[in-house]
């Protein structure tokens, strides 16, 4: 059985994981995630600081993952490393580290697309979260709606035209004076909010929308953010209104995510919906998704926070898939800020 060491350094988490198994029968032997707190001070990720922090922590993080799995570098069959998309300086730390291990031990090197990793993440926890399914990936950098026919065959249906869903949470949190990252604080605050006080329209959801319309599956959140800004400016008592605005914002954003995902699952006849990315930690989203898609008999799978946010377990899992297909990266593997997901099939 192959043993994979996964490495993830695309943004502000330094992570390493050991995974063994074959096909969908895998075992996560260890997962270490070191989150870089330094960015909180700046209200967003500072790329230069992220690279430097990865550099100081990658070795101990990987050593810890190996030790937790009771294996040594010599046992590793393949090193799966995120090669993009992400912050290039941050990615290069993981890529260089992965190459060094592959070169030194003779293990295979497998470059992994970060978003393909997110597609695999939920299956590590839920054995039924396997293709065919409709995937909604919602993170700080991406909002993607993908029909997954089988592993390695991805039909890209929709994406955000401006801000990512997590980015919208973070920006609105800032407007409301909440800490970064803003997703969790908004979710908590929204629980105390009255949903009828501030109603924002669901972005990109038109009643007469039809499949084939350019905006049928796409998302857009910058207009919603502006609507929130106007509500904040128009409030004569922001302390009183804060929770209501957070609730109105979250309801509108979730409404848009849920509607587009429902359309995709319905159109392609999928009875499984797999969520991924940091915003998938939002229980209001998971609940609303399950409710809206129950009429088509769909089951919603959401990963626990450790697997929803950036982690090396998902990279190891996606890497295993490519490793088992005989795919290898050369030692000249590079890092890419943006990169199309491999295995795209025509929509
Ligand atoms: O996947 P992730 O950890 O990192 C990226 O690849 O971006 O996602 C981070 C994003 C942040 O924007 C954060 O605000 C959001 O996920 N997030 C949430 C929640 N927890 C994290 N958004 C909404 N509700 C949450 N509970
Ligand atoms: Zn991510």
């Amino acid at each position: 059985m192959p043993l994979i060491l996964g490495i993830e350094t695309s943004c502000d988490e330094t992570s390493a994981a050991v995974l063994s198994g074959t096909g969908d029968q895998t075992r996560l032997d260890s997962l270490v995630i070191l989150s870089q707190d330094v960015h909180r001070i700046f209200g967003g990720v500072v790329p230069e600081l992220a690279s430097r922090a990865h550099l100081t922590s990658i070795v101990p993080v990987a050593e810890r993952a190996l030790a937790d799995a009771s294996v040594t570098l010599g046992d590793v069959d393949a090193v799966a490393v995120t090669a993009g998309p992400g912050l290039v300086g941050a990615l290069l730390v993981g890529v260089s580290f992965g190459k060094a291990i592959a070169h030194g031990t003779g293990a295979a090197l497998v470059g992994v697309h970060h978003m393909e990793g997110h597609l695999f993440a939920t299956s590590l926890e839920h054995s039924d979260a396997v293709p065919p399914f409709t995937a909604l990936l919602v993170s700080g950098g991406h909002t993607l709606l993908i029909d997954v026919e089988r592993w390695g065959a991805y039909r890209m249906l929709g994406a955000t035209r401006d801000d990512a869903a997590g980015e919208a949470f973070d920006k609105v949190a800032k407007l409301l004076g909440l800490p970064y990252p803003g997703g969790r604080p908004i979710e908590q605050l929204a629980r105390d909010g009255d949903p009828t006080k501030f109603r924002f329209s669901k972005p990109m959801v038109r009643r007469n929308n039809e499949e084939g319309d350019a905006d049928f599956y796409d998302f857009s959140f910058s207009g919603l953010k502006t609507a929130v800004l106007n509500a904040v400016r128009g409030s004569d008592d922001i302390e009183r209104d804060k929770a209501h605005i957070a609730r109105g914002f979250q309801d509108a954003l979730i409404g848009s995510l849920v509607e587009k995902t429902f359309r995709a699952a319905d159109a392609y006849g999928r009875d499984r919906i797999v969520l991924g990315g940091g915003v998938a930690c939002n229980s209001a989203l998971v609940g609303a998704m399950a409710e809206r898609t129950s009429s088509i008999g769909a089951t919603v799978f959401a990963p626990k926070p450790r697997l929803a946010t950036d982690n090396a377990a998902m990279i190891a899992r996606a890497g295993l898939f490519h490793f088992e297909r005989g795919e290898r990266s050369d030692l000249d593997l590079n890092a890419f800020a943006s990169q199309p997901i491999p295995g795209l099939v025509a929509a």
Side-chain angles (χ1 to χ4, degrees):
M1 263 200 319
L3 189 90
I4 314 287
L5 173 66
I7 305 287
E8 156 66 37
T9 65
S10 70
C11 192
D12 57 348
E13 259 94 28
T14 313
S15 181
V18 175
L19 180 104
S20 53
T22 174
D24 285 322
Q25 307 304 311
T26 59
R27 195 182 65 206
L28 183 58
D29 299 313
S30 66
L31 171 59
V32 179
I33 305 172
L34 191 66
S35 296
Q36 303 174 355
D37 275 345
V38 59
H39 307 287
R40 286 172 190 270
I41 307 165
F42 302 97
V45 178
V46 184
E48 170 84 15
L49 295 180
S51 310
R52 289 173 184 274
H54 286 308
L55 207 51
T56 50
S57 47
I58 187 69
V59 170
V61 164
E63 280 177 342
R64 176 70 185 271
L66 291 165
D68 284 357
S70 306
V71 297
T72 65
L73 269 187
D75 300 319
V76 172
D77 295 297
V79 186
V81 58
T82 309
L87 303 170
V88 169
L91 287 162
L92 278 171
V93 175
V95 167
S96 304
F97 183 70
K99 284 185 195 180
I101 293 173
H103 185 62
T105 67
L109 180 68
V110 182
V112 172
H113 190 283
H114 181 80
M115 300 314 288
E116 189 179 26
H118 277 298
L119 284 177
F120 276 95
T122 314
S123 72
L124 293 170
E125 197 185 348
H126 301 282
S127 56
D128 289 335
V130 292
F133 60 75
T134 301
L136 176 70
L137 301 182
V138 273
S139 68
H142 297 269
T143 305
L144 299 176
L145 184 60
I146 305 172
D147 181 65
V148 180
E149 207 166 280
R150 56 191 147 78
W151 294 129
Y154 310 123
R155 187 177 286 113
M156 196 60 72
L157 296 177
T160 182
R161 296 188 177 183
D162 38 60
D163 294 347
E167 194 179 356
F169 270 100
D170 296 339
K171 287 180 176 172
V172 164
K174 205 168 182 178
L175 294 177
L176 295 176
L178 301 171
Y180 170 88
R184 242 165 80 87
I186 289 203
E187 180 178 9
Q188 283 164 349
L189 188 61
R191 288 198 190 118
D192 302 325
D194 180 340
T196 63
K197 289 259 159 73
F198 289 86
R199 286 186 194 272
F200 303 108
S201 60
K202 288 182 228 164
M204 305 274 274
V205 178
R206 293 186 285 121
R207 212 174 309 141
N208 55 353
N209 240 187
E210 285 173 20
E211 194 167 9
D213 290 349
D215 58 350
F216 190 70
Y217 291 125
D218 275 352
F219 305 95
S220 163
F221 300 115
S222 74
L224 176 59
K225 178 191 62 196
T226 306
V228 170
L229 175 65
N230 290 335
V232 170
R233 284 190 178 147
S235 166
D236 55 9
D237 185 350
I238 192 63
E239 282 313 310
R240 179 198 65 211
D241 289 342
K242 214 154 90 159
H244 307 316
I245 294 174
R247 178 62 187 266
F249 158 75
Q250 182 174 272
D251 283 356
L253 184 141
I254 287 176
S256 176
L257 294 177
V258 165
E259 186 54 31
K260 306 278 166 144
T261 309
F262 172 83
R263 289 175 182 177
D266 192 31
Y268 288 89
R270 306 300 184 209
D271 62 4
R272 277 174 280 213
I273 292 167
V274 172
L275 307 180
V279 183
C281 297
N282 188 293
S283 48
L285 167 65
V286 180
M289 190 71 80
E291 197 179 319
R292 178 72 176 99
T293 57
S294 63
S295 64
I296 53 169
T299 307
V300 176
F301 297 97
K304 60 182 165 203
R306 251 169 104 68
L307 294 172
T309 57
D310 290 348
N311 68 85
M314 67 185 197
I315 302 304
R317 178 64 190 88
L320 172 66
F321 169 71
H322 290 288
F323 176 74
E324 291 199 293
R325 293 215 300 190
E327 296 165 19
R328 306 287 183 268
S329 299
D330 294 327
L331 285 177
D332 63 0
L333 176 68
N334 210 338
F336 299 92
S338 63
Q339 195 181 25
I341 199 166
L344 279 179
V345 296

